[in-house]
């Protein structure tokens, strides 16, 4: 899943008013302008992910939020630092 | 939520239920939607969003089908933490984000809980949300070896190296500081990662002999063939 797809999903959640995770608008960084210059909305948005199953489940149950699950390995061809 | 695949036995079992290969093996990526109980499926699973929802319109429809049923309750979210420093550095480096380490006193769970709540309020504030990853540590020995460590500060902001194997501490703040949020925002800006080209990143990593050993075996056939 590329960044654009991830952010699109996040924006959809935001649009629907179901804050399963939060979207942050911020000033474009050099990363944004390089990678996603063609899509201004996506390039300036980020998703606040829960990374722990226990924490996500606990907050989802307490706040009555559906859970969008996306898993990925933080390595690319065994090299860390990239999804 | 976005758990890291192959890094936690219990989570791996859950992820297999979200999506797995025909032989039951855990795949590198998985996607799915669940009810707030974390058990009832609201979608089928897949290894990509398209495999689950076909397109964004289908995804929207799936979400719109139950907004009344799952009306959100008010409340403070908890601090979204990565399980340990090793994985936290890698996840933060992969996202190009700072890693915030909350140092809590050993064996004092009430104090630790209070500190986590204070930082959670900041983490989910409008100005700071989605801007960093978080790890909670009692033992600061590893932090002490990093450049920039400041003793007696509860919150240390780390800028991971490009591979997420080490980090520089760009600054630290105390949660009681009235300008804590403002200072964190400044430190986050200093700890943002540089842009990465995936091919160059992998090529340089291979040249340097940098490899990541997940805690669990990689069982994705696509990944193993690479």
């Amino acid at each position: 899943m590329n960044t654009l797809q991830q952010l699109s999903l996040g924006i959809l959640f935001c649009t629907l008013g179901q804050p399963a995770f939060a979207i942050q608008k911020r000033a474009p960084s050099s990363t944004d302008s390089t990678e996603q210059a063609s899509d201004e909305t996506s390039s300036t948005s980020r998703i606040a992910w829960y990374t722990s199953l226990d924490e996500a489940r606990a907050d989802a149950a307490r706040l009555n939020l559906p859970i969008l699950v996306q898993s990925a390995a933080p390595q690319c061809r065994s090299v860390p630092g990239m999804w | 939520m976005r758990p890291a695949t192959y890094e936690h036995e219990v989570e791996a079992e859950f992820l297999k239920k979200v999506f797995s290969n025909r032989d039951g093996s855990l795949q590198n990526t998985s996607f799915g939607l669940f009810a707030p109980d974390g058990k009832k499926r609201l979608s089928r699973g897949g290894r990509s969003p398209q495999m689950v929802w076909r397109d964004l319109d289908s995804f929207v429809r799936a979400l719109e089908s139950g907004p009344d049923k799952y009306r959100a309750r008010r409340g403070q979210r908890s601090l979204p933490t990565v399980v340990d420093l090793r994985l936290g550095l890698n996840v933060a480096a992969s996202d190009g984000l700072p890693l915030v380490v909350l140092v809590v006193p050993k064996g004092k769970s009430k104090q630790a809980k209070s500190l986590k709540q204070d930082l959670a309020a900041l983490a989910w504030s409008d100005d700071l949300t989605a801007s960093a990853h978080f790890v909670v540590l009692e033992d600061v020995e590893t932090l002490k070896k990093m450049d920039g460590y400041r003793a007696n500060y509860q919150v240390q902001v780390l800028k991971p190296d490009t591979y997420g194997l080490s980090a520089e501490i760009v600054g630290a703040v105390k949660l009681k500081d009235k300008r804590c949020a403002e200072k964190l925002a400044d430190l986050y800006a200093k700890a943002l990662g540089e842009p990465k080209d995936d091919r160059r990143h992998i090529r340089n990593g291979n040249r340097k002999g940098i490899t990541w050993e997940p805690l669990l075996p990689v069982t994705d056939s696509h990944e193993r063939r690479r």
Side-chain angles (χ1 to χ4, degrees):
Chain A
M1 183 180 195
N2 63 33
T3 306
L4 178 60
Q5 289 169 324
Q6 284 184 22
L7 296 174
S8 298
L9 294 179
I11 290 161
L12 283 170
F13 260 119
C14 191
T15 304
L16 292 165
Q18 288 284 328
F21 45 74
I23 303 293
Q24 167 68 10
K25 293 269 188 178
R26 62 181 175 82
S29 68
S30 54
T31 307
D32 297 326
S33 60
T34 302
E35 294 180 352
Q36 297 291 346
S38 61
D39 189 321
E40 187 177 344
T41 301
S42 295
S43 70
T44 56
S45 302
R46 282 191 181 275
I47 301 168
W49 293 105
Y50 289 85
T51 57
S52 152
L53 174 62
D54 286 345
E55 290 172 351
R57 273 180 163 171
D59 272 17
R62 185 167 53 86
L63 303 174
N64 203 37
L65 299 172
I67 302 171
L68 173 67
V69 178
Q70 177 205 336
S71 71
Q75 54 155 316
C76 196
R77 300 186 186 185
S78 297
V79 176
M82 181 163 282
W83 294 107
Chain B
M1 69 170 165
R2 190 186 59 186
T5 320
Y6 309 122
E7 299 296 340
H8 193 291
E9 284 189 16
V10 174
E11 291 182 352
E13 290 305 310
F14 173 76
L15 293 175
K16 282 182 191 175
K17 292 174 187 169
V18 177
F19 175 71
S20 61
N21 199 8
R22 287 177 182 173
D23 64 3
S25 59
L26 178 61
Q27 300 299 285
N28 205 2
T29 58
S30 61
F31 294 81
L33 191 63
F34 286 79
D37 65 3
K39 295 176 182 172
K40 183 181 177 184
R41 282 180 178 275
L42 299 181
S43 78
R44 63 179 180 175
R47 70 175 298 142
S48 68
Q50 292 86 350
M51 196 171 165
V52 180
W53 296 287
R54 295 195 310 276
D55 53 37
L56 292 178
D57 288 340
S58 301
F59 183 50
V60 171
R61 282 196 295 276
L63 293 177
E64 284 179 334
S65 65
D68 292 331
K69 194 174 180 182
Y70 300 112
R71 192 178 296 277
R73 289 190 283 265
R74 288 187 177 187
Q76 174 62 52
R77 292 167 183 253
S78 59
L79 186 68
T81 61
V82 185
V83 65
D84 57 28
L85 186 60
R86 165 190 167 275
L87 186 59
L89 286 170
N90 187 358
V91 168
S94 298
D95 282 338
L97 291 177
L99 179 68
V100 176
V101 177
L102 175 65
V103 180
V104 298
K106 284 183 183 176
K108 295 186 177 178
S109 57
K110 277 188 179 178
Q111 269 183 267
K113 185 179 177 184
S114 174
L115 291 170
K116 284 178 74 174
Q117 286 174 341
D118 289 347
L119 186 56
L122 288 166
W124 290 106
S125 64
D126 287 346
D127 290 339
L128 297 177
T129 190
S131 301
H133 289 288
F134 300 88
V135 166
V136 178
L137 291 183
E138 288 186 347
D139 187 340
V140 294
E141 288 308 310
T142 307
L143 285 184
K144 284 180 178 176
K145 296 172 187 167
M146 295 179 180
D147 290 340
Y149 174 71
R150 295 177 71 179
N152 302 320
Y153 280 72
Q154 300 137 341
V155 180
Q156 312 266 337
V157 180
L158 279 58
K159 179 178 182 177
D161 69 24
T162 191
Y163 300 102
L165 299 177
S166 62
E168 165 200 1
I169 301 175
V170 299
V173 295
K174 293 181 178 178
L175 287 168
K176 287 185 178 176
D177 189 328
K178 288 180 181 175
R179 294 180 57 235
C180 186
E182 187 183 333
K183 288 180 179 178
L184 275 179
D186 290 342
L187 293 175
Y188 284 5
K190 291 179 184 175
L192 281 176
E194 304 300 326
K196 290 180 190 173
D197 174 90
D198 55 352
R199 289 185 179 180
R200 189 178 303 149
H201 181 82
I202 294 165
R203 189 171 61 240
N204 290 343
N206 287 332
R207 278 181 188 161
K208 294 176 181 176
I210 293 170
T211 58
W212 178 257
E213 295 296 335
L215 296 185
L216 303 174
V218 175
T219 51
D220 189 313
S221 54
H222 290 80
E223 186 70 17
R224 283 181 298 179
R225 277 201 298 267
R226 286 178 170 178

